[in-house]
Amino acid sequence: MTADHDDPFDVARLVVAHDEANAYDAVVPPIAQTSLFTFSSYAEMEETYRGLKVRPTYTRGLNPTVRMFEEKLAELEVAEDALGFASGMAAISSTVMTFTKPGDRIVCVRHVYPDAYRLFETLLKRWNVAVTYVDGRDEAEVEAALPGAALFYMESPTSWTMEAHDVGALAALARRHGVLTAIDNSWATPIFQRPLTLGVDLVLHSASKYLGGHSDVVAGVVAGSKALIGEIRRTAYPYLGGKLSPFDAWLLIRGLRTLPLRMKAHEASALEIARRLAAHDAVVSVAHPGLGNALPTGLEGTSGLFSFTVRDDVDVPTLADALSLFKLGVSWGGHESLVVPAEVVRKQAAGPNSAIDFGVDARMIRLHVGLEGTDALWRDLDAAIDAASNKSRA
Ligand SMILES: *Cc1c(COP(=O)(O)O)cnc(C)c1O
């Protein structure tokens, strides 16, 4: 080929310089944004389909960019393997459905993520899977519920109420009774809690939260042993089809690069705001695992999400509307600070879930403390609480 190598726009030159192995020496890996992968020959295609050669064929099964994210997450969670999903709920539902069958019973800590609870109360009930809810802080209650269960589903700290558990002790109880364990680790992330090292079998994440970290991805992941992840990969993953997209995997890889720095910043700022709220006379209580008692064994830090409950004479709608840095919005884990009044989500109107109360005090307010300046966030919150207290006094 007679390419003009002085012309930077000559495509032939690019092809000559292309190095398959290191992808142009790009510091950020390229995205394999493709639905399918072609074969060079009949023989190669046949070898692949017979399982003699492992290579991507179709992105619902295996994609190199998704695989890159899975490998990085497995390393962070000290897992043999991991599997990415289109959402945290896809990871949760596929995992739970892989390891349960009609007639089984799940033991679940109370106050898990509300949509996980709704999954158990709707679809799984229809499939004749029963659920026993337990207070994860009460080891005797947990142990009494375990015999005969197919799965112990954990989350620590729990959603909204922030009940933090001794995850290692609970995992040991489950192991003694031969019960498989899974935990939702979205809140702590592997930076602050590595459940597999505490004896849990499977660790789940909504990667939409801290792993992504920029509020631009909805994704999920499960990590664990090769055998358990292989079981999900062969059953629920391809056939329920909740696969992670290559572009979203690429955004997650981007997010992971700053995860330790972001978590330390969320931790410091949220702890400071939680302490100031606890000292505020309009606040009845603050649910933050870092206030009061020591953190349970295995939890090495705290993140930016916590709740507080205001006095009866504080007008919550006024408080919410008076905030400007804290935006009204669900989800969390991104750079931005967010607020959710419990009363609003308790009133969730549409669909079959409306009757399911997930057991949270109506006067509770959940905050996600983002990466803005702590003092600016506190001024915003303090002024809004003031406005809401004055209004009810007037
Ligand atoms: C958001 C969330 C989920 C669900 O994740 P999606 O990515 O929204 O499906 C699961 N667990 C916890 C703790 C969450 O906050």
Side-chain angles (χ1 to χ4, degrees):
M1 194 175 291
T2 57
D4 176 3
H5 282 205
D6 294 331
D7 180 0
F9 298 105
D10 182 359
V11 174
R13 169 188 159 133
L14 187 66
V15 172
V16 169
H18 181 109
D19 178 346
E20 295 273 9
N22 65 16
Y24 313 96
D25 298 314
V27 67
V28 172
I31 313 172
Q33 187 70 27
T34 181
S35 62
L36 69 106
F37 301 81
T38 58
F39 298 92
S40 62
S41 66
Y42 179 98
E44 190 193 13
M45 191 170 189
E46 193 193 27
E47 248 186 285
T48 305
Y49 273 80
R50 288 175 62 198
L52 302 174
K53 179 173 181 173
V54 178
R55 48 148 289 171
T57 62
Y58 186 52
T59 283
R60 176 153 54 76
L62 179 63
N63 174 282
T65 313
V66 172
R67 188 61 195 147
M68 191 178 286
F69 163 69
E70 291 169 348
E71 285 174 354
K72 287 178 190 297
L73 196 279
E75 185 119 359
L76 282 169
E77 285 289 6
V78 201
E80 285 176 2
D81 202 358
L83 189 55
F85 285 88
S87 69
M89 281 313 301
I92 292 167
S93 57
S94 293
T95 299
V96 169
M97 288 165 94
T98 297
F99 298 106
T100 54
K101 58 183 188 312
D104 278 349
R105 187 172 58 89
I106 297 173
V107 177
C108 176
V109 298
R110 65 182 194 183
H111 301 309
V112 289
Y113 177 66
D115 277 350
Y117 176 65
R118 292 176 183 121
L119 165 71
F120 298 155
E121 292 299 300
T122 56
L123 201 53
L124 283 194
K125 274 215 168 128
R126 200 183 300 168
W127 285 38
N128 194 26
V129 172
V131 185
T132 310
Y133 298 96
V134 292
D135 180 346
R137 297 168 305 181
D138 185 340
E139 286 170 30
E141 188 184 335
V142 172
E143 180 154 34
L146 284 172
L151 176 70
F152 181 27
Y153 185 91
M154 297 187 265
E155 183 178 320
S156 180
T158 53
S159 287
W160 286 86
T161 52
M162 300 288 142
E163 292 173 4
H165 310 141
D166 186 334
V167 171
L170 296 186
L173 287 179
R175 189 147 298 197
R176 196 180 313 150
H177 291 279
V179 179
L180 186 76
T181 47
I183 188 168
D184 184 330
N185 199 33
S186 308
W187 185 91
T189 83
I191 302 304
F192 292 144
Q193 183 167 259
R194 287 165 299 282
L196 299 183
T197 68
L198 303 170
V200 178
D201 296 310
L202 290 160
V203 54
L204 294 152
H205 283 277
S206 168
S208 325
K209 313 294 164 56
Y210 287 127
L211 301 184
H214 295 72
S215 305
D216 49 14
V217 183
V218 171
V221 66
V222 57
S225 69
K226 268 198 164 61
L228 291 175
I229 298 300
E231 185 66 19
I232 305 169
R233 195 187 284 285
R234 282 187 298 275
T235 56
Y237 183 75
Y239 309 133
L240 294 181
K243 65 133 195 89
L244 176 58
S245 90
F247 183 56
D248 286 346
W250 183 85
L251 287 170
L252 292 174
I253 294 166
R254 182 274 313 260
L256 289 181
R257 293 189 188 105
T258 55
L259 182 64
L261 296 173
R262 289 187 284 107
M263 293 314 292
K264 279 168 194 134
H266 288 297
E267 175 179 47
S269 197
L271 250 180
E272 181 57 31
I273 287 174
R275 286 193 186 113
R276 293 185 194 180
L277 278 172
H280 198 294
D281 66 4
V283 173
V284 175
S285 61
V286 180
H288 184 301
L291 293 189
N293 300 335
L295 294 181
T297 315
L299 183 61
E300 293 164 7
T302 57
S303 69
L305 188 77
F306 68 96
S307 311
F308 66 103
T309 306
V310 288
R311 255 184 4 220
D312 285 349
D313 60 344
V314 176
D315 188 65
V316 173
T318 303
L319 193 163
D321 286 337
L323 288 164
S324 65
L325 283 177
F326 285 90
K327 303 292 181 200
L328 273 161
V330 294
S331 194
W332 46 272
H335 47 83
E336 74 287 13
S337 290
L338 294 165
V339 57
V340 183
E343 189 59 12
V344 173
V345 285
R346 280 160 51 100
K347 285 180 181 162
Q348 182 169 327
N353 303 328
S354 55
I356 299 175
D357 183 342
F358 58 96
V360 166
D361 191 306
R363 301 201 61 76
M364 216 175 217
I365 296 170
R366 192 184 74 182
L367 294 181
H368 178 252
V369 176
L371 302 174
E372 306 91 338
T374 309
D375 286 331
L377 288 173
W378 175 250
R379 278 196 297 277
D380 192 29
L381 200 51
D382 195 30
I385 295 173
D386 233 37
S389 312
N390 288 341
K391 162 145 187 194
S392 49
R393 254 178 248 131

